[in-house]
Every structure is written in structure tokens, then in C-alpha cells.
Amino acid sequence: MAANSWQAEDYDRAMAFVSRGGEDLIEIIRLQPGESAVDWGCGTGDLTAKLASSGAAVTGVDFSREMIERARSKYPNLQFVEADGQAYRTAKPVDAIFSNAALHWMTDAERTAASIAASLRVGGRFVAEFGADGNIASIVHALQKSAQLLSLGRRIVLPWYFPTPEAYQQLLEKHGFRVLSIYSYDRPTPLSGGEQGLQIWLDHFAGGVFAGLDQEEERAVRRYVEEAVKPLCYRDGSWTADYRRLRVAAVKQS
Ligand code: BEZ
């Protein structure tokens, strides 16, 4: 059982679908040459580099040291900062903030929204996509059920924030944004790794869930989740996770 939640090279190899899933957001934010922007939760920097090819000055920010080190080694001409997106603030307000598949890790959504708002100039654009209410519902349900059945009580903690569009719009408005567009949609996502796909996904994305368990308990939860999710998400030797995304475009008004 790998304990390598954030080993960045392995992440790049097995989780390339994460940044591929966000490529069309780049069309929405439409960075212009000379603009300044932040990629909020940039991972290993692939989308930061695509954003920067517009001619804008883009900084990638991520909480994970391994991700930032890998981003710097892949894209030595770009700027990357190791920082917590729940608290980070740019030195000067920027023209645009972009985020793909990252905000669901920032469970203090209130503080994150305040940080994003403080880092954008008035009139600046915010475009993001992340997990919506109902994201990976089969996995979430199986984890919760396993905690009950295996008497693990509150020792299984789900470390993700998956809001409804209504709740997220309210949060942004409270922080001075005008929401131009917000919706959620199903995006079934094939996982790499063939029949090991779900376990590999858990290695990378559910490390925190198992943090309070011993090895035997973790093994039992993983087994339970695999059996419970299989009828819904496994077919012909590969897994497809039931992703549901929230996509938002907003402008900072005040
Ligand atoms: C997601 O991209 O939807 C996701 C990533 C990690 C954990 C949960 C969901």
C-alpha cells in the first residue's frame, strides 16, 4: 500500500487527466499579453505553462513542496511559490486568478475566498473548476459506510470541500464578486492503472482519509470501498470515477 500521496513525478505519470480536464478553462479566462495572473493550486505547473503561453505573467502557487519543486524543474522560466491557497495573498493585486482541481482541497472556503478576493484587482477575473456537491459520490458513500461497518467512528475524515453552485455563488458574492456563470456537471473520469486504478487514485487523493487508521484498518477500508464502488465504476478492466465538477466565472466588483 503506497503512502506516497504527493510524490510529484508519480503524480504526473498517473494523474495527467487532472490537468487535461482543465484545459478548456484557459479559453474562458482569456489571458492577454502583459496581464498578471495566478494559478491557484498549480500542482506540477502544466496549466500554469499553458496560461503563460498567452504572454501574461503567471505565478503558480501550491501548498505541496514536491509539486512546486517538480513545477520549477519542468518550467524553470516560470515563477512558482510554495504557499497555502487558504491564506496566500499576492504582493500586488493581479488581473486574473485561475484554478483547476484545487479548491476542493481548501476546506476553509471562507478564508480561501477572502484570499482570492484580496489578490485580485477590482474588475479582475476569477475562473475555476473543482469538485461540486455529489463529486465522487460513490467513493464518499463507501468511505462513510465503511466507517460505520468497521466501527471507525470519526477516525475517517473526508478532507474535501464540494459545494453546491448556490452555496459557492453566495460565498463569492459575500467577498465582493459578481458571478457571471456558475454550474455543476457530471464528468465521469477514467482512471489510469487498469484494475489497480481505484487503489492508485486512493493513494494519490485519499491519503488524508486514512491518516488516523492503522495499516490493518486502512486495508479493510480500501477493500470495502473497492467492493462497494466496483458495480458502479468498473467495467472491462478499468475504473471510471463519478466526478462532478463546479465551474465558475466571476468578476471582482468591490
Ligand atoms: C477531484 O478532482 O474531484 C478530486 C480530487 C481529489 C480528491 C477528491 C476529488
Side-chain angles (χ1 to χ4, degrees):
M1 206 166 298
N4 59 343
S5 308
W6 287 114
Q7 284 177 3
E9 273 186 57
D10 191 33
Y11 176 89
D12 261 357
R13 202 170 33 249
M15 303 291 138
F17 63 82
V18 175
S19 50
R20 274 201 306 271
E23 280 174 3
D24 57 335
L25 290 181
I26 291 173
E27 304 297 317
I28 298 172
I29 201 158
R30 287 190 178 279
L31 293 182
Q32 303 298 311
E35 283 194 313
S36 55
V38 175
D39 180 1
W40 209 274
C42 64
T44 64
D46 293 339
L47 292 181
T48 319
K50 290 207 161 101
L51 289 162
S53 67
S54 63
V58 186
T59 300
V61 175
D62 203 280
F63 185 59
S64 157
R65 173 161 304 168
E66 290 77 15
M67 293 287 180
I68 289 294
E69 281 171 359
R70 176 123 175 107
R72 286 183 179 138
S73 80
K74 284 161 70 179
Y75 305 109
N77 298 327
L78 297 183
Q79 202 200 351
F80 293 99
V81 175
E82 180 192 335
D84 180 356
Q86 297 173 124
Y88 178 72
R89 277 169 165 63
T90 54
K92 281 199 298 193
V94 295
D95 297 306
I97 292 178
F98 173 95
S99 184
N100 176 57
L103 296 175
H104 46 238
W105 291 111
M106 300 177 205
T107 52
D108 190 342
E110 188 73 47
R111 211 151 59 101
T112 307
S115 299
I116 290 171
S119 298
L120 259 186
R121 69 166 170 81
V122 171
R125 336 199 273 291
F126 172 53
V127 170
E129 180 164 313
F130 60 105
D133 180 46
N135 192 36
I136 54 164
S138 63
I139 298 173
V140 166
H141 184 252
L143 285 167
Q144 287 166 337
K145 194 88 192 154
S146 72
Q148 266 175 25
L149 293 174
L150 301 169
S151 304
L152 297 171
R154 290 166 177 250
R155 288 166 57 219
I156 287 200
V157 177
L158 304 188
W160 308 306
Y161 167 66
F162 299 143
T164 61
E166 293 75 19
Y168 201 64
Q169 174 157 357
Q170 235 179 43
L171 179 68
L172 289 180
E173 286 173 353
K174 182 173 160 194
H175 288 276
F177 285 90
R178 181 160 61 90
V179 173
L180 304 177
S181 151
I182 189 163
Y183 58 93
S184 56
Y185 69 101
D186 288 325
R187 200 192 72 200
T189 299
L191 304 182
S192 328
E195 68 179 42
Q196 284 306 307
L198 180 67
Q199 295 299 334
I200 295 171
W201 187 93
L202 290 169
D203 290 342
H204 283 276
F205 290 141
V209 174
F210 304 126
L213 307 184
D214 65 30
Q215 270 197 350
E216 204 42 56
E217 290 167 334
E218 176 175 342
R219 226 174 264 135
V221 171
R222 283 174 176 263
R223 237 187 344 255
Y224 179 85
V225 170
E226 178 153 341
E227 285 312 308
V229 171
K230 202 165 201 169
L232 302 166
C233 299
Y234 184 72
R235 183 172 295 175
D236 299 332
S238 59
W239 293 86
T240 300
D242 48 350
Y243 276 24
R244 184 165 179 80
R245 316 315 272 174
L246 185 152
R247 185 171 276 206
V248 60
V251 174
K252 184 175 158 183
Q253 258 191 328
S254 56

